[in-house]
Each structure stands twice: as structure tokens, then as C-alpha cells.
Amino acid sequence: MSTPVIAPRKKRLSEGLTVTQKVFIRSRNGGATKIIREHYLRSDIPCLSKSCSQCQSIVVPDAKNELPNFVLSEDPQKLASLGKHYVVVDTNIVLLAIDLLENPDCFFDVIVPQIVLDEVRNKSYPVYTRLRTLCRDSDDKKRFIVFHNEFNEKTFVDRLPNETINDRNDRAIRKTCEWYADHLKSYGINIVLVTNDRLNREAAKKETKEENYTTRSLFKYADMLPNADEIKELIPNLDNFSDSSDILIDEKSDATFPDYYSTSRVMGGLRSGGLYQGNIQISEYNFLEGTVSLPRFSKPVLVVGQKNLNRAFNSDQVVVELLPESEWKAPSSLTLDSEHFDINDNPDAQGDDGDFTGEGTTAVVSDKQRRLLAKEAILAQKSKKIQPTAKVVSITRRSWRQYVGQITPSSVDEKINGIQNVFVILMDKCLPKIRIRTRRAQELLGKRIVISIDSWPANHKYPLGHFVRDLGDVESTEAETEALLLEHDVEYRPFSKKVLECLPSEGHDWKAPVQLDNADELAKDPLLAKRRDLRDKLICSIDPPGCVDIDDALHAKKLPNGNYEVGVHIADVTHFVKTGTALDGEGASRGTSVYLVDKRIDMLPMLLGTDLCSLKPYVDRFAFSVIWELDQDANIVNVDFMKSVIKSREAFSYEQAQLRIDDPNQTDELTLGMRALLQLSIKLKQKRLDSGALNLASPEVKVHMDSETADPGEVEIKKLLATNSLVEEFMLLANISVARKIFDAFPQTAMLRRHAAPPSTNFETLNEMLQKRKNMHISLESSKALADSLDRCVDPKDEYFNTLVRIMSTRCMMAAQYFYSGAYSYADFKHYGLAVDIYTHFTSPIRRYCDVVAHRQLAGAIGYEPLSLEHRDKHKMDMICKNINRKHRNAQFAGRASIEYYVGQVMRNNESIETGYVIKVFNNGVVVLVPKFGVEGLIRVENLTDDVEGAVFDEVEFKLTFKPKGAAKTRDVYVFQKVDVQVKSVLDPVTSKRKAELLLV
């Protein structure tokens, strides 16, 4: 317990004020500790308005000896009743209307008080980063500044007795407005506080008798703008958000969802073990079924039905409560997507008169019963198909972001020209439709649009959102590409001016020094003396065709003792990307480059990625080299790490390199080195496989684009050559060697990558399928046992069957993740798929930020240059790892979505009969994979038979029996079955998404 004994008091120092507060903290043994807090205030914090001459005379340089930029315009926007003005926003406006603040057509000069920035950071980090970006990237059109009101002696306010934190912060914002209004009065610039807090607006009127600044709600402020109709479209859709009569009022209805538990009840339940917290994952096949992985349970807990899901979105962090045992059930054998569910719902209705799907009435359960229930649940997961079910009782963190979708035509009333409620179907089929209000409903039909979600009240069947912007026509390449980038949170906007300013001033004319000991060059870069000159080595690169961002190159030569010198040379990105710069911040934020069918979204500006860092042939380039001495059996005798200068002799594609190696007429030293690399790589791979490394698979295809029209031409399954494996093996060897080195040097913060062993429960269903249909089994005692059992899964009558099992096994594996070494014990560093005890990513710094960090740590480990504090701090490394894990996953999904879109375009005019494989069987359909196109699709039972009710699903045999259309006999379709399917591309009339439609032949 703490008791303030002395009220805060101010004391004048030589360079400002300090606020002192003394607090006594009572300890458990009855003693007390006195804590003194001092808060320093300054008189030289500027207003950052270009019109103000007073502040420009008092500013002092910062720690970098740089003066602050005065950003706010001397001639801000002028409105009829407000005059020339700056806008001050409060926390809720930022949280709810960040899309509007980012809009280029409104909010031109905005002051963000520091207390607002701090509150936003605590409540929503994604919104905080967007706000920081707005303030950082201010330009001639939009000018945002952060005013440090908490450190300005004129705007700091003490917390009053019995005053809540929120009330104190609101008063601090009003004090900031008052100071700005007085400060800029002589320059003819007014201050407008935009807030939807009615009490805050009323308090402002009481406190400012002269009304030296104005307050407006968001809606009233937007209504005063010259483009009011357009801007009001973008205002968040909340029941009580606007005080305008222009907004549609819904008819009230009874609550359709249970209320969330109170914070105290949630905290108590988590402590006592009656409640559990985790992230919910909605099934891709049934949007009314979710799972929550909990540490105590061997399998995820099921959450079934709308009421039990209780407004949870995919990936939300939720708190769940177990349901009584009578309500436990097996995972659903039905497929159900949100796109075709209740398509005739009325968007003007809030609730639903009928019962929701999949819930029963839940009895009241005591805390003691809950604990017993948890024990029963754990036992049930071990022994039964029936799984424990739960209900969501609280959502602790929303995963909401901007979403892409299209307005449902059936929800638009063509007779209404004004504002109306309509439904938006999202591209993510795991999510429910969203209700928005718009005047442009008819205009936006057939368009891909961006929306944001505002709230999901308990008395609304669907979430409420608002329109953000129009991407373009459905199926236009530009709209679909931008849509998939937004859907997967890929940053695709051009690099900012501040980022580009970090690039070498010489641009494309930059050249590596000819002489490393040149005095002039050493004066520019003292570290040049530590570089090794390797330009005499016969180095080459081997990459996919058309690769321009060449990260890696290799060389090999035989030594007099019969061993081999082998070098892997990686682009020295960190020579150009320095810690703490805007360029480094942008790379850390993007996390990875993203590769689509028709374009590449770079992590770093093109000048670096495709020129100065790229290890192009025939030019000198800086590199980070790993050089081994390997014996004839590819065992490491010695390894050395160095920053270097290299000159690649040639840039090969995989196919070109393979042809050169295979050509007996080629006997030059470069080719001999490549052959040595190939032979050594074969031995390295065999050693990995002998140790238990997995050889998994995915249905990867390549889309060929027409070079003139940029239209997709044909699809082919990716072919792997021996040279693919050559490069892969030496990149793996480099990553392992670097991981050991940086872990030895930085045992608490080394940037590493791990792959956890999969729980046996992940393979339960696949093993049941294999046992029942093929009398086979996948062993999980170790990665070696798994690899060997996969090798045994062979069907002599079908050579693709083994690949199919490997594809399905890949989906049962855990995802690999980046981590810092202090987060796990050494035993948990293991990379299960590669069968190595430690691993990192070092070989692709142009396109992965993890590799950039590994480069810096390796430079520190070899004494090339000191490692920055940022990469020695556990908390900061944890934030970096979390971000790059998320960005890496999103980049993979975006790449797959791009291939899926272009495959759909290829199939658009190419209806054909193809070979497919059944990979899932449901009560109401089967899922078929078509290897040629790398696509899989659900064939619904209504497309298989006219007698839907007569179809029989055998859950034990993984079989669906039905009478095909126009046939007299029944047909069995079962998992792993090879089938012929008619493949065609169709545009779904409800979702406006093109997808592969499969029909059994």
C-alpha cells in the first residue's frame, strides 16, 4: 500500500523547474520505504509553428546537436467559423479515427500532446506506430507534431486530490490548448480541440471564460470542412460516436451476445485457474468454430457457435471459460464460410430474432467445479474424440486492422440515394461480414474497398465499421494486388524522404575503394583497414533466373593438403544501414522483402538492394565472408569470419550453373570450384539427413508472365536442380557457423531461429487417415524417426502419393520462429526440421532484417566494430523478434495469395480436366488438391449429387458416399483418393472473388 505524505511541489532550478513528490511504500513486515520522484520541467520547449518568432529564438540543440524542425504552417487551413487554426486531438480521436487523420484531404496542421501519444501507446501499439509515422513524415501537405506538454513548465498539471488519471490527462490536454491559444493569438492562429468527450468539451467552456480556444466533436468539425460529405463517409460507425441527426438510428433490440466479464472477475479467474487466456484461431473451413491453445492442455480447446465465440475475431487474445462436460463435442465435420452464411440478412437490423448456431444453455458452474472440469478436460483430450469446449468471456487484445472487402449487392437498396447501412464481405473468409454506413453504396458496388472496424456492441449481430477508401474495380490487377498487400499487412508505400536521405550521396556512382590502405579512403572509413581483400578469389553467384538482389556468392578451391577452401560471401548491408537511422528503422519495421508473382516489395531501397549491396558480377562489392577449410568428407577443419571486398566472376541461374557443371568441356578453375561445391554439398546434405533432417514438401507452382503484356501465361510445378541444393547446403552451413559464433559472444541476446518439435496431437488425424486408408503410420519419436517413416509412405501405384503425404505433414508441423538466445534454454534452441542444435539466418540481409541483426552481432563478435546497445537489450530484441516473425509469416501468405490470384487468371479461359487428390472429407463436401496448379478447393455435396440428404459421411473411414448426378450407382470418395476433376475459374457472385471451382468427373 502507498500513501503520499507530501503534496507535489515545484522548485526552481538553474535551467527550469522540478516537480517533487514523496511517497511512502508500506512493506509486508510493517516497515516503510520513502520514494522521492522528481519530474523536470523546461521553459525552452518550442511550439514548432513556423509563424512563431519567439520560440525560434529559445530552442536549443538536442543530443545529436540538431535543432528541431518547425513544422506547423504559418498559413493553416481557414474555415468560416474557426478562422485559421491548428487542431489538437485527444486520445480517443486518435484511437478511433486514425484513418481519418491519415487522410490527405483533411487534418493538415495537427498538434498531438505528449500525454495523448503516451496513452495511445499503452492502448494500441499499431495505432501508436501509425501516429508516430504521421509525425515523423510530415510534409508540405500534412503537418503533425508532438508537443511535450508533460515537460513544459507552462503546460504541466499536477493531479488533484481524488482526481482520476483520465480526468487529469483530459485537463492536461485542455491546458495545452489554452497555452497554444494564448501563445499564437498575436499571429492570428486559433486552436480547435477535437474531442467526442462531451464532459471534456463542457469542462473546456467552464475553464476558459474568454473562450480563447474552441472545442468540436469529430462529426461537427468534419461538417465544417469544404469536402464535408466525403469526409463524413470516413467517420467511425459507433452508436454514440456522433451527435449528428444525419446518422441513421437503429431500432433497439435485446442483447444478442453475453456481456464480457468484469476486469476483476477475469483477473481473479486467471489467478484461481478457473479461466484461461490465449489467442483464438478460427477454422478456415468453419467460421463458427475456433480453437484456443492453452499451456495445460495437450490439444487446443474448442469454441463452437456464435454466442460462445462472443464477438471474437481471428487471432484476438481472449479469456475463455470451460463449458460443462455435457456440452463437450468433437471438432465439426461440416464446412461453413461466412461469405455464404445468412446472405439475406438485413443490414438495418441489429439483433437476430432466432437462436444463434451451435449453442445451448449453459449452467452456472462454481469455481471448484471449474477446477474439476479442467482435470476432466485434460483426461478427455488424451483418450477421446470428444474435446473440451469453452466460451469467450473477455477479449484482452483485439487483432483489428484495416480490412479489404466488397459490398454485398443484396444489402444495397437501389431506391435510396442517401446514407444507408450495407454489409461488406471481407476477403478473409474466417471473419464475419461488417456493417458500414455510407452514401456511396451504389457507387462502390463491384469495387474492392478498405474498411476499418469500430466496435462490436453486444446488441449487434455483426461488427460496425466505416469505409476508408476505394482500391478499384474487382479483378483489376492493381486493386487485387494492393488488396492482398493490405490484407497481409505488407508496407508497400514508397520510402520516405528521411529514409532516402540515409543513402550514399554518390547514388549509383558509389564504388568500393580500389586500394584498402588508401589514406583518403581510410579517412572516410577507418574500418576499411580491417577488411580482407578477396578479389583474387574465383567467386560466383547462383540464383533464380532474373534475380537482381543477389545476397550471396560462393567459391571453392582445392588446398595443397587435399582439403578444400570454401567461402560463402554475403552482401555487407550493415555497411550502409547503420543502427538508429531512419533507414534502419524502416528496414526493422518492414522486416522482410515480399515476393509477388508480378513485383517485389523491397525491405530496403532499390539503390541498395539491386545495386550497391547486390553482389553483381564484374564489380567490386563489400561482403561479409565465412571461409571454411573442409576435408574430403565435408567436415569442418577450420572456420574464419571477416568483412571483405570481393569481385564476383559470374552470376548464374540455377539452370545455367547446372549446365556448366555438367559440361565435360568446361575445365576452367571456376567450373572446377563449382563441381567441388556440388560434391561437398551432396555430402553435407547426406549428413543432415542421417541426423534426422526432414525433407518436406509444399504444392509450389510458378506462374510465367508475358514479358510484353505482363499477363499471366502458364503455370508449372517448380523444378529443383542439384544446384538448388548446392546453394541451400552452404547457406545452411554458414547460418549454423554464424549462430555458434554469435551465441558464444552474446549468450543472452544472439539473434537465432528455432523450430520446435510438433506435438503428437498435431499428427493424430493424419495418422488416423494413413492407418485406415493405407495401413501406414508416421512416427514422431524424433525427427529421424519422422523422416524415416515419411520415406516409407510410398504407394507403388502412385509416385505422387509420397509428395502428398509430405505436403500434409508440413501442415502438421510447428512454425519456425526467430528468438533471442536469452528467451530459451539451450536445449530449446534446436531446429527440428534441420536437425541442428542451433541456427540463425545470416545469408539474406538484403531481404531479411534478422540477417541484418546477425551481421551486426557477428561484426561485434569478431571485433570489427562494437555492437549497439539495441542488439544487447533483451526487451528490444524481443520486440524485434516478434515483429519479424509476424512480417515473415505475412510475407509468405502474401506470396501464396499472389500465386493463387494469378493461377485463377490463367485458368480463367482454360477449363480442363486434371488429376487431383482428396485431402479432407467433410459431412457436406470434400477438399481436393490439384498438383498441376497448386490449388485446392472444396467440392460441396450439392455439386456432387442431387440427393443431398442421401449422402452418407463415414467419419471412421474418412469416406463420403453419394449417388452422382445422373448415375444409378452410389460412389465412394475417400481421403488420399486419386480423382479426375474438372477445373475452371469462377467469380463468386457473393464475394466477387475468383477461385478455382472443382467438379468430380
Side-chain angles (χ1 to χ4, degrees):
M1 187 180 77
S2 63
T3 308
V5 293
I6 298 180
R9 61 190 183 89
K10 295 182 179 179
K11 181 174 67 175
R12 172 67 64 181
L13 298 177
S14 59
E15 296 181 0
L17 289 174
T18 178
V19 179
T20 304
Q21 185 179 27
K22 296 180 182 178
V23 179
F24 286 98
I25 305 295
R26 185 178 297 165
S27 62
R28 289 182 179 178
N29 60 11
T33 302
K34 182 170 72 172
I35 295 178
I36 299 177
R37 297 188 180 98
E38 288 193 334
H39 185 87
Y40 294 94
L41 304 178
R42 299 174 57 171
S43 59
D44 58 357
I45 295 178
C47 67
L48 299 181
S49 170
K50 290 181 179 178
S51 63
C52 177
S53 56
Q54 180 183 348
C55 285
Q56 296 192 24
S57 63
I58 64 167
V59 291
V60 294
D62 59 16
K64 296 180 180 178
N65 203 33
E66 296 174 353
L67 291 172
N69 290 323
F70 282 69
V71 173
L72 299 173
S73 172
E74 64 268 32
D75 187 26
Q77 185 177 28
K78 185 176 183 180
L79 298 178
S81 59
L82 298 177
K84 292 197 298 184
H85 67 282
Y86 297 152
V87 171
V88 177
V89 290
D90 72 359
T91 305
N92 285 329
I93 292 294
V94 175
L95 291 172
L96 295 170
I98 185 66
D99 302 318
L100 208 53
L101 296 179
E102 290 175 331
N103 191 293
D105 299 322
C106 60
F107 289 101
F108 303 111
D109 290 275
V110 178
I111 299 164
V112 180
Q114 176 200 343
I115 191 62
V116 169
L117 190 70
D118 292 343
E119 284 189 311
V120 169
R121 179 172 187 168
N122 291 332
K123 293 184 177 181
S124 174
Y125 195 78
V127 174
Y128 167 79
T129 57
R130 290 167 70 181
L131 183 60
R132 290 293 297 179
T133 299
L134 273 173
C135 297
R136 183 193 69 200
D137 295 341
S138 292
D139 52 29
D140 294 337
K141 184 143 191 175
K142 289 186 79 71
R143 298 162 291 275
F144 279 62
I145 63 118
V146 176
F147 177 71
H148 294 277
N149 65 295
E150 295 295 281
F151 295 101
N152 188 314
E153 63 180 40
K154 300 287 181 60
T155 57
F156 174 80
V157 296
D158 294 321
R159 185 177 171 189
L160 302 176
N162 302 319
E163 186 178 36
T164 67
I165 290 289
N166 284 339
D167 287 345
R168 182 264 168 200
N169 291 346
D170 286 343
R171 192 160 54 85
I173 295 170
R174 297 195 297 272
K175 183 72 173 178
T176 299
C177 293
E178 189 178 335
W179 179 80
Y180 260 100
D182 288 339
H183 185 71
L184 299 175
K185 191 173 184 179
S186 60
Y187 303 104
I189 296 175
N190 301 319
I191 299 298
V192 179
L193 170 61
V194 177
T195 175
N196 283 319
D197 186 338
R198 179 177 54 82
L199 295 177
N200 200 11
R201 296 199 300 267
E202 290 174 358
K205 288 183 180 179
K206 290 178 184 177
E207 292 171 357
T208 56
K209 295 179 181 178
E210 300 177 4
E211 295 191 5
N212 58 347
Y213 68 93
T214 309
T215 63
R216 291 286 186 274
S217 69
L218 179 61
F219 190 91
K220 283 195 171 179
Y221 179 76
D223 202 33
M224 302 172 72
L225 299 174
N227 51 347
D229 288 344
E230 177 188 333
I231 299 303
K232 284 190 291 186
E233 282 284 311
L234 311 178
I235 290 180
N237 184 357
L238 299 175
D239 275 355
N240 303 317
F241 195 78
S242 168
D243 50 6
S244 166
S245 60
D246 192 29
I247 292 290
L248 287 176
I249 303 299
D250 296 311
E251 293 182 8
K252 294 296 174 186
S253 66
D254 294 334
T256 55
F257 289 101
D259 289 332
Y260 294 131
Y261 286 0
S262 66
T263 303
S264 59
R265 186 174 177 183
V266 168
M267 297 302 291
L270 291 173
R271 279 195 298 268
S272 68
L275 301 178
Y276 304 90
Q277 183 170 274
N279 290 336
I280 192 164
Q281 298 299 320
I282 306 299
S283 167
E284 62 177 311
Y285 293 107
N286 186 342
F287 86 106
L288 293 182
E289 182 176 280
T291 55
V292 182
S293 296
L294 304 173
R296 288 180 57 188
F297 295 80
S298 58
K299 295 179 185 175
V301 173
L302 284 176
V303 184
V304 182
Q306 286 178 308
K307 270 194 176 174
N308 289 332
L309 286 167
N310 200 3
R311 297 167 279 162
F313 260 55
N314 194 34
S315 298
D316 281 353
Q317 187 179 76
V318 300
V319 176
V320 296
E321 180 178 73
L322 289 177
L323 294 175
E325 191 171 358
S326 60
E327 296 185 37
W328 294 357
K329 56 189 69 178
S332 174
S333 59
L334 282 170
T335 64
L336 187 64
D337 61 59
S338 62
E339 303 162 343
H340 302 90
F341 182 75
D342 286 349
I343 59 175
N344 295 318
D345 269 358
N346 179 5
D348 290 319
Q350 281 187 346
D352 183 47
D353 296 332
D355 291 333
F356 280 117
T357 305
E359 307 87 10
T361 56
T362 303
V364 177
V365 184
S366 69
D367 284 343
K368 185 177 180 180
Q369 287 173 316
R370 284 196 193 96
R371 287 191 284 274
L372 292 172
L373 202 59
K375 292 181 181 178
E376 286 294 320
I378 293 169
L379 291 173
Q381 288 190 330
K382 293 179 180 177
S383 59
K384 305 174 187 175
K385 270 262 185 180
I386 298 296
Q387 290 192 25
T389 56
K391 63 179 180 179
V392 173
V393 297
S394 178
I395 296 178
T396 50
R397 189 178 67 239
R398 283 289 192 186
S399 60
W400 289 349
R401 53 177 173 81
Q402 287 189 341
Y403 296 94
V404 179
Q406 53 285 325
I407 292 176
T408 309
S410 61
S411 69
V412 177
D413 189 339
E414 296 180 0
K415 297 177 183 177
I416 298 178
N417 291 321
I419 192 168
Q420 61 175 301
N421 291 321
V422 295
F423 284 129
V424 175
I425 295 282
L426 302 182
M427 291 185 74
D428 187 341
K429 63 183 180 181
C430 295
L431 303 177
K433 61 187 100 176
I434 312 298
R435 197 183 76 171
I436 68 169
R437 291 166 169 160
T438 179
R439 292 176 176 81
R440 301 172 57 192
Q442 296 183 42
E443 176 193 340
L444 294 174
L445 280 174
K447 303 276 191 182
R448 287 271 183 247
I449 64 171
V450 181
I451 62 111
S452 277
I453 299 174
D454 304 317
S455 68
W456 195 345
N459 61 341
H460 284 67
K461 184 175 178 180
Y462 297 103
L464 306 180
H466 66 272
F467 169 77
V468 176
R469 61 192 175 97
D470 166 16
L471 297 180
D473 293 333
V474 166
E475 287 214 281
S476 66
T477 303
E478 296 78 11
E480 297 296 343
T481 300
E482 189 172 4
L484 74 86
L485 291 172
L486 282 167
E487 270 299 287
H488 297 98
D489 192 25
V490 174
E491 177 56 75
Y492 59 93
R493 290 177 294 185
F495 291 99
S496 70
K497 183 180 177 183
K498 288 189 177 180
V499 169
L500 297 177
E501 285 173 350
C502 298
L503 299 175
S505 57
E506 302 94 332
H508 292 284
D509 294 329
W510 179 91
K511 288 182 174 56
V514 177
Q515 299 293 332
L516 298 187
D517 56 358
N518 181 279
D520 292 338
E521 297 294 346
L522 285 171
K524 296 178 190 175
D525 180 12
L527 295 175
L528 196 60
K530 296 184 179 182
R531 283 193 184 271
R532 188 91 59 86
D533 193 336
L534 302 180
R535 285 175 281 200
D536 60 321
K537 306 292 183 185
L538 296 178
I539 295 170
C540 67
S541 61
I542 306 174
D543 291 286
C547 179
V548 290
D549 52 344
I550 302 174
D551 284 291
D552 54 85
L554 306 98
H555 88 271
K557 74 171 183 178
K558 198 161 188 176
L559 298 173
N561 64 1
N563 290 342
Y564 289 92
E565 177 188 277
V566 176
V568 164
H569 312 276
I570 307 300
D572 187 7
V573 170
T574 55
H575 174 79
F576 301 96
V577 183
K578 299 299 184 184
T579 309
T581 61
L583 177 59
D584 182 51
E586 186 69 20
S589 175
R590 296 192 179 210
T592 181
S593 294
V594 181
Y595 293 85
L596 308 181
V597 169
D598 61 331
K599 66 170 64 176
R600 182 187 67 249
I601 313 297
D602 292 316
M603 181 182 82
L604 298 172
M606 192 177 292
L607 174 65
L608 296 183
T610 63
D611 189 0
L612 306 191
C613 291
S614 182
L615 303 182
K616 301 191 298 184
Y618 326 126
V619 292
D620 295 346
R621 286 288 178 259
F622 284 163
F624 212 145
S625 299
V626 183
I627 297 181
W628 302 272
E629 182 182 341
L630 302 180
D631 65 17
Q632 295 283 348
D633 295 321
N635 296 309
I636 298 175
V637 177
N638 186 36
V639 60
D640 198 9
F641 308 92
M642 68 209 71
K643 291 260 188 164
S644 61
V645 183
I646 67 167
K647 185 174 185 178
S648 174
R649 298 299 196 269
E650 194 61 68
F652 296 106
S653 68
Y654 291 119
E655 191 171 357
Q656 288 171 338
Q658 191 69 58
L659 290 171
R660 182 153 179 166
I661 290 171
D662 294 341
D663 185 354
N665 297 319
Q666 298 279 358
T667 57
D668 58 281
E669 284 190 54
L670 181 60
T671 306
L672 293 175
M674 292 165 67
R675 288 182 184 137
L677 288 169
L678 181 58
Q679 293 307 310
L680 290 167
S681 72
I682 293 170
K683 293 174 182 177
L684 286 169
K685 183 172 185 177
Q686 190 57 52
K687 285 200 288 185
R688 280 198 312 108
L689 294 176
D690 292 343
S691 299
L694 301 178
N695 184 16
L696 299 174
S698 61
E700 288 192 352
V701 296
K702 182 175 182 180
V703 181
H704 291 281
M705 306 292 289
D706 188 292
S707 58
E708 293 182 4
T709 64
D711 292 330
E714 61 176 337
V715 179
E716 70 169 357
I717 298 175
K718 282 189 176 180
K719 297 174 183 175
L720 297 180
L721 302 169
T723 44
N724 289 82
S725 182
L726 181 160
V727 175
E728 180 185 10
E729 290 305 320
F730 283 106
M731 296 307 112
L732 292 175
L733 189 63
N735 289 334
I736 295 166
S737 297
V738 170
R740 298 192 194 287
K741 185 69 174 179
I742 63 176
F743 176 63
D744 286 344
F746 307 105
Q748 289 299 309
T749 58
M751 172 64 82
L752 301 174
R753 185 166 175 80
R754 68 190 289 268
H755 183 213
S760 59
T761 53
N762 285 22
F763 279 83
E764 271 186 5
T765 302
L766 178 56
N767 264 328
E768 286 176 14
M769 291 177 181
L770 285 167
Q771 188 69 46
K772 182 60 66 175
R773 302 307 321 177
K774 297 286 186 178
N775 197 27
M776 297 176 181
H777 181 78
I778 294 176
S779 302
L780 295 165
E781 293 82 10
S782 65
S783 60
K784 175 64 173 170
L786 175 56
D788 290 344
S789 60
L790 285 173
D791 289 340
R792 290 193 296 269
C793 290
V794 176
D795 185 344
K797 298 177 183 177
D798 185 358
E799 62 177 302
Y800 188 77
F801 174 72
N802 184 258
T803 302
L804 181 66
V805 174
R806 292 180 191 275
I807 289 170
M808 296 174 74
S809 296
T810 301
R811 299 177 182 185
C812 299
M813 301 296 290
M814 303 291 284
Q817 62 178 170
Y818 297 108
F819 71 102
Y820 65 95
S821 52
Y824 294 92
S825 64
Y826 189 85
D828 293 325
F829 289 6
K830 183 177 174 64
H831 195 294
Y832 183 83
L834 297 174
V836 292
D837 58 327
I838 190 168
Y839 191 67
T840 192
H841 273 164
F842 164 79
T843 55
S844 297
I846 292 175
R847 60 184 179 89
R848 288 190 308 232
Y849 191 74
C850 163
D851 305 55
V852 173
V853 177
H855 275 232
R856 289 173 179 154
Q857 292 182 335
L858 183 59
I862 65 174
Y864 180 81
E865 61 182 335
L867 181 63
S868 73
L869 290 174
E870 183 177 350
H871 301 320
R872 286 188 283 163
D873 182 283
K874 285 187 177 182
H875 175 69
K876 290 181 179 177
M877 285 297 293
D878 184 49
M879 291 182 66
I880 291 171
C881 290
K882 284 178 179 176
N883 181 63
I884 59 179
N885 279 325
R886 183 172 59 86
K887 294 292 189 178
H888 178 75
R889 185 173 61 251
N890 290 351
Q892 288 181 315
F893 291 152
R896 291 172 195 165
S898 176
I899 291 172
E900 185 180 338
Y901 166 71
Y902 277 102
V903 167
Q905 296 302 308
V906 170
M907 295 191 301
R908 193 170 179 171
N909 302 311
N910 294 285
E911 190 174 319
S912 60
I913 306 295
E914 302 294 344
T915 299
Y917 291 85
V918 178
I919 60 172
K920 279 183 181 290
V921 180
F922 291 104
N923 207 327
N924 60 339
V926 295
V927 179
V928 177
L929 170 69
V930 181
K932 179 179 177 180
F933 294 122
V935 297
E936 58 189 74
L938 172 69
I939 306 178
R940 297 181 182 276
V941 71
E942 51 264 33
N943 293 327
L944 297 171
T945 178
D946 292 323
D947 183 15
V948 175
E949 297 300 322
V952 178
F953 171 59
D954 188 332
E955 188 175 5
V956 175
E957 295 287 335
F958 300 97
K959 181 174 69 176
L960 186 65
T961 303
F962 58 92
K963 186 181 288 186
K965 293 181 178 183
K969 295 182 179 180
T970 60
R971 178 177 178 178
D972 293 339
V973 175
Y974 47 84
V975 75
F976 299 129
Q977 185 178 3
K978 185 177 180 179
V979 294
D980 288 332
V981 290
Q982 180 185 25
V983 184
K984 61 179 179 179
S985 178
V986 296
L987 189 67
D988 190 304
V990 177
T991 66
S992 298
K993 288 197 286 191
R994 182 167 293 280
K995 57 186 178 183
E997 182 179 83
L998 309 180
L999 295 172
L1000 281 184
V1001 176

